Amino acid sequence: VNGTITIPVVVHVIYNAPAENVSAAQVQSQIDVLNDDFRRLNGDASSTPAIFQGVASDVEIEFCLAATDPNGNPTDGITRTFTSTTSFPTNDNMKFSATGGTDAWPASAYLNIWVCNISGNILGYAQFPGGPAATDGVVIDYQYFGTIGTATPPFDLGRTGTHEVGHYLNLRHVWGDGGCGVDDLVADTPLAGAPNYTGAPCSFPGPNTCDEGAGDQPDMFQNYMDYSDDGCMNLFTEGQKARMRALFEPGGPRASLLN
Ligand code: ARG
Ligand code: ZN
Ligand code: CA
């Protein structure tokens, strides 16, 4: 498909403690980051090292809070649900009203984002394309969502949302979740053998965990699909763009979002 794709988003805020009931402004701050990062309008695009600027990509995907709910009624694109659950393990209970959460809106028409208190030190998690509709979407911990309110350094720049939506759009971690023999199925990200947890000052070059031979490059810890701190991340690549946009071709697993 050509041109800009716009994905309607519903954010399901699931809260027990009042602080978990994040504001509409905080929700919008996350949408704004998604739009900046997927259009390469991020203010830190100039921090991408020169050797990677040539593959840095405007993915041409945008996000808007849904204006119409599944019944055809006007909505601000945010649902709010009080729960007696004080924290959710990564078992998808937040995705069903029967287990203390909120049911997904039809995944064929909306990107569902659940915001809640996730147990442990998990920033967020996502479902890849092709999975069950009832659990399709991404989950983000309320402390790592958007850029204001409860957003907590060093994960307070909304990049957990960018990373999880990357998974929702079929991107793997840049290290392929394995050693140097395992690729992320994207040609223009250098091989990496392990995640990088790079923090400020994001010094370049950082680790070079794999030798690609001729044209060897250091790890692209600046990629949104690594594990660096939010302030060290600043790009998707052209190869990642192609992988994401392929989902929207006729018959593809995300094509129905275009209707
Ligand atoms: N660990 C999570 C995942 O694999 C999210 C990592 C997000 N990183 C960040 N800097 N916000 O999906
Ligand atoms: Zn991930
Ligand atoms: Ca390398």
Side-chain angles (χ1 to χ4, degrees):
V1 291
N2 291 309
T4 305
I5 293 167
T6 302
I7 299 181
V9 178
V10 56
V11 174
H12 304 292
V13 177
I14 317 289
Y15 66 97
N16 177 259
E20 296 160 16
N21 192 13
V22 299
S23 70
Q26 187 169 349
V27 172
Q28 187 60 50
S29 77
Q30 179 65 70
I31 301 294
D32 291 346
V33 170
L34 293 174
N35 284 320
D36 287 347
D37 289 351
F38 280 81
R39 293 305 317 272
R40 196 148 175 83
L41 296 171
N42 49 306
D44 53 3
S46 60
S47 298
T48 300
I51 60 158
F52 298 141
Q53 285 284 352
V55 297
S57 169
D58 170 3
V59 177
E60 297 182 274
I61 295 178
E62 299 183 356
F63 303 85
C64 68
L65 285 170
T68 307
D69 75 13
N71 297 319
N73 295 314
T75 176
D76 64 358
I78 304 173
T79 74
R80 296 187 181 276
T81 303
F82 174 79
T83 183
S84 59
T85 303
T86 53
S87 77
F88 288 90
T90 56
N91 61 1
D92 290 340
N93 277 2
M94 74 292 288
K95 300 178 180 179
F96 299 94
S97 56
T99 50
T102 302
D103 292 343
W105 289 11
S108 57
Y110 303 93
L111 161 55
N112 285 271
I113 299 180
W114 288 268
V115 179
C116 64
N117 185 11
I118 306 176
S119 311
N121 293 322
I122 309 276
L123 305 177
Y125 71 100
Q127 181 170 299
F128 286 106
T135 50
D136 197 21
V138 312
V139 185
I140 305 174
D141 187 282
Y142 78 106
Q143 293 184 95
Y144 310 113
F145 179 74
T147 62
I148 62 174
T150 57
T152 306
F155 303 108
D156 58 342
L157 300 180
R159 262 70 193 254
T160 300
T162 300
H163 177 110
E164 301 309 336
V165 174
H167 286 312
Y168 166 85
L169 295 174
N170 213 23
L171 297 188
R172 309 294 163 135
H173 293 133
V174 283
W175 68 99
D177 294 310
C180 295
V182 185
D183 194 22
D184 62 356
L185 311 178
V186 171
D188 59 7
T189 53
L191 284 173
N196 286 295
Y197 297 90
T198 307
C202 317
S203 303
F204 177 84
N208 185 351
T209 56
C210 303
D211 181 356
E212 299 102 63
D216 179 49
Q217 293 179 318
D219 292 5
M220 188 186 276
F221 69 76
Q222 303 84 2
N223 196 281
Y224 298 123
M225 301 315 293
D226 207 332
Y227 270 179
S228 300
D229 288 354
D230 283 14
C232 294
M233 299 178 150
N234 47 55
L235 81 154
F236 287 121
T237 69
E238 288 292 333
Q240 289 175 320
K241 174 181 182 174
R243 193 169 163 79
M244 290 191 269
R245 293 182 64 96
L247 303 169
F248 296 88
E249 292 299 331
R254 300 282 183 220
S256 64
L257 292 169
L258 299 176
N259 299 327

